[in-house]
Amino acid sequence: MNDLVYLDNNATTAVHPEVLEEMLPFFRDRFGNPSSTHWAGRRAKSAIDEARGKVARLVNCDPSEVVFTSCATESNNTAIKGIAAARRSRGNHVIATTVEHPSVLTPCLSLENQGYDVTCLDVDEEGMLDLEVLETAITDRTILISVMFANNETGTIFPIRKIGEIAERHGICFHCDAVQAVGKIPVDIRESRISLMSISGHKLSAPLGIGALIIRKGVRLSPLFHGGHQEKNLRAGTENVAGIVGLGKACEIALNTMDGESRRLRALRDRLERGIMETIPDSRLNGHPVLRLPNTANFSFLNVESAALLAALDQEGIAVSSGSACSSGALKASHVLKATGSPDGTTVGTIRFSLGRENTDADVDCVLEVLPDLVGRLRKHEVRNASLCNLARAGKQ
Ligand SMILES: Cc1ncc(COP(=O)(O)O)c(C=O)c1O
């Protein structure tokens, strides 16, 4: 087996060593409840305020617009349910796309169960949204448009600024799940006319369990949680001070290193893509050929099962993710790949490679060394290519 290779950074990233260093004092002696008025509380509160400024600088908003949450799932739920409740008297129509993350689609479904109308717009085979289709979907009852900045599976980047302009022209609130974009490509909330934006710490080298929802000035919404007065009454619950400090530091690092790092990752990713295309016949690169995150490469391989390929790569020490989900023992193409017209995961295996800060040329070499042979053997059934959610599970630690 090769050295371990981690190419699943869209799932989660390693915590940056400087982020960890910044957080450690808050697990030791710099404790304190930020709501307390004594020295320990004031110290915690000032650490939060400093982090708030760093998050705001990365996405170009005012620090007062940053609300810390526990994760992007919470941010997405707060934005969608909160706006729907606050604007109920103005209308009951919400627009999203079919390729949103489940943490957007499921709250939309829950709104539908409460009597709201939800329109989920299709994307084309490159995963791109047609803006004319968006304009046509808007009615005088539309209160919210929710479109992600970049897709987590294919990496396709949406025309966010144009969507923002459309929303602004119609006086509609625009929520953007920017989880996969923040820290990887420039995100400017003001320029893009975004009303609410979700961020997740663990996708940008901060720890799990911390996120943020940016709520632009003047946007009113009903909070999800009720309790204390934290985060200006928008997110009750004692703040995760260490996590917030970590997110702030991660945003500061991203701001200072994004240009160089995204160039480096794009070069690695492009070499991986070229290598796969040149050595593996019947492979297809999914997502938009150009408007794509610099770290993401999503491939489909004909006559290979996603789960079997995932498990075979895992046996080689290579961690990636598949575009298929196991559901009741059957393999199904993910909703994102289905939306782009990809067949189900039993005939076409789909694998997402997502690179990050730790990846080097050696990791790309390692994939290019083993993947063509694995795909070839799976196609010839030399490696078991059965419908194997179990194999995939057994391979996972
Ligand atoms: C696009 C997108 N939105 C939301 C989430 C949810 O983020 P969290 O794990 O912070 O809840 C993810 C996580 O995979 C994601 O990729």
Side-chain angles (χ1 to χ4, degrees):
M1 177 157 134
N2 295 293
D3 286 344
L4 295 177
V5 173
Y6 185 78
L7 291 169
D8 201 11
N9 288 276
N10 285 9
T12 198
T13 56
V15 173
H16 193 294
E18 289 174 35
V19 169
L20 178 64
E21 277 309 308
E22 195 98 348
M23 290 171 64
L24 283 175
F26 294 87
F27 293 112
R28 294 190 188 119
D29 50 341
R30 286 195 68 185
F31 64 90
N33 186 325
S35 297
S36 304
T37 52
H38 50 61
W39 57 266
R42 289 198 305 279
R43 183 171 70 178
K45 185 170 178 312
S46 91
I48 290 179
D49 289 342
E50 201 181 310
R52 213 184 288 285
K54 291 176 181 172
V55 175
R57 270 195 292 285
L58 179 62
V59 297
N60 191 24
C61 69
D62 194 88
S64 65
E65 297 173 323
V66 177
V67 172
F68 289 111
T69 61
S70 65
C71 60
T73 297
E74 184 192 327
S75 302
N76 286 341
N77 271 268
T78 304
I80 292 164
K81 294 179 183 168
I83 289 293
R87 299 198 162 197
R88 185 69 182 89
S89 60
R90 292 197 222 172
N92 69 341
H93 182 225
V94 173
I95 299 176
T97 78
T98 51
V99 295
E100 297 302 312
H101 189 266
S103 56
V104 166
L105 290 175
T106 314
C108 285
L109 190 65
S110 122
L111 290 181
E112 215 168 39
N113 293 335
Q114 292 165 46
Y116 288 81
D117 284 335
V118 178
T119 303
C120 281
L121 303 173
D122 283 328
V123 294
D124 65 18
E125 66 208 19
E126 291 173 344
M128 191 50 80
L129 179 65
D130 182 338
L131 295 177
E132 272 180 37
V133 173
L134 170 63
E135 285 254 28
T136 320
I138 293 171
T139 73
D140 56 4
R141 306 282 296 156
T142 308
I143 47 173
L144 175 67
I145 296 173
S146 181
V147 178
M148 66 201 330
F149 212 111
N151 186 263
N152 43 305
E153 290 192 35
T154 61
T156 295
I157 300 169
F158 284 102
I160 289 303
R161 178 164 181 179
K162 291 192 176 131
I163 296 170
E165 283 167 3
I166 292 172
E168 189 176 63
R169 192 160 10 94
H170 290 270
I172 300 167
C173 205
F174 175 30
H175 166 246
C176 181
D177 172 351
V179 163
Q180 294 292 347
V182 170
K184 293 180 187 142
I185 55 173
V187 170
D188 186 324
I189 191 166
R190 272 187 237 263
E191 186 196 69
S192 302
R193 319 280 202 271
I194 296 168
S195 322
L196 304 115
M197 190 171 84
S198 305
I199 299 178
S200 174
H202 70 102
K203 311 285 183 177
L204 77 149
S205 307
L208 297 152
I210 184 69
L213 177 64
I214 316 293
I215 307 175
R216 296 303 313 279
K217 281 198 182 91
V219 175
R220 305 262 164 271
L221 86 173
S222 313
L224 206 58
F225 294 172
H226 297 93
H229 299 296
Q230 292 89 353
E231 299 295 277
K232 293 195 284 187
N233 289 320
L234 288 165
R235 203 284 183 176
T238 304
E239 298 88 338
N240 171 3
V241 182
I244 289 171
V245 166
L247 178 58
K249 184 66 185 175
C251 288
E252 182 183 69
I253 294 170
L255 189 63
N256 294 334
T257 60
M258 190 171 4
D259 280 357
E261 186 59 2
S262 72
R263 256 197 312 278
R264 189 185 76 85
L265 289 182
R266 188 186 299 278
L268 282 183
R269 195 269 319 259
D270 288 353
R271 193 163 77 76
L272 175 69
E273 289 180 357
R274 273 196 311 276
I276 291 176
M277 305 282 238
E278 282 166 12
T279 54
I280 307 180
D282 294 324
S283 51
R284 170 184 129 146
L285 181 62
N286 296 309
H288 196 281
V290 182
L291 299 173
R292 203 148 40 87
L293 291 173
N295 77 321
T296 306
N298 185 308
F299 274 97
S300 293
F301 303 102
L302 191 65
N303 294 329
V304 173
E305 284 185 358
S306 299
L309 183 53
L310 189 78
L313 283 166
D314 191 18
Q315 295 290 317
E316 296 290 336
I318 300 172
V320 294
S321 82
S322 99
S324 300
C326 288
S327 159
S328 319
L331 271 179
K332 289 191 181 146
S334 79
H335 71 287
V336 173
L337 293 160
K338 252 199 225 154
T340 61
S342 194
D344 74 29
T346 52
T347 53
V348 177
T350 299
I351 295 292
R352 177 188 70 188
F353 302 90
S354 51
L355 289 82
R357 196 173 43 82
E358 277 87 16
N359 292 125
T360 63
D361 271 313
D363 299 327
V364 172
D365 291 341
C366 180
V367 174
L368 294 179
E369 199 181 299
V370 302
L371 187 65
D373 181 54
L374 281 180
V375 171
R377 288 169 59 200
L378 284 164
R379 283 176 175 161
K380 283 196 255 159
H381 299 278
E382 283 175 22
V383 178
R384 273 203 324 138
N385 194 6
S387 318
L388 296 174
C389 284
N390 286 344
L391 176 57
R393 285 205 194 100
K396 275 184 193 162
Q397 301 298 311

